[in-house]
Amino acid sequence: KLVGKGTTNADGRITELVSAEVTIAAGVYRLIFDTGKYFEGQERESFYPQVTIVFRLADAAQHYHVPLLLSPFGYSTYRGS
């Protein structure tokens, strides 16, 4: 079920991925990044056309920051603060 959608701003962030009307519960979620479109917009070749991150939300009341560190040929992620 789609619970949010957005496009990163100039700082590479999505400030409101999920609207205030949506209630988020503890559970497993998936973020899908359209990295191919991002690199096409920069007229750069890339290896990964899409990056999918699956993570567990243990406490829906907490703030979760899930950064994607990206280069044309690699990526990494972690749970930020």
Side-chain angles (χ1 to χ4, degrees):
K1 176 179 165 184
L2 181 67
V3 295
K5 185 176 181 177
T7 302
T8 54
N9 61 21
D11 290 331
R13 298 173 184 264
I14 300 175
T15 55
E16 189 176 312
L17 181 61
V18 179
S19 72
E21 296 99 35
V22 176
T23 302
I24 298 294
V28 176
Y29 290 85
R30 176 176 46 219
L31 290 172
I32 302 171
F33 294 87
D34 188 357
T35 54
K37 184 176 178 182
Y38 169 77
F39 283 114
E40 284 174 15
Q42 295 187 347
E43 298 181 357
R44 296 177 71 188
E45 182 182 338
S46 66
F47 187 68
Y48 298 102
Q50 186 179 77
V51 173
T52 301
I53 301 169
V54 179
F55 60 98
R56 182 180 314 277
L57 223 98
D59 180 358
Q62 287 189 11
H63 173 79
Y64 288 82
H65 178 70
V66 185
L68 175 66
L69 307 171
L70 181 64
S71 78
F73 303 103
Y75 66 90
S76 68
T77 186
Y78 59 95
R79 179 179 173 197
S81 55

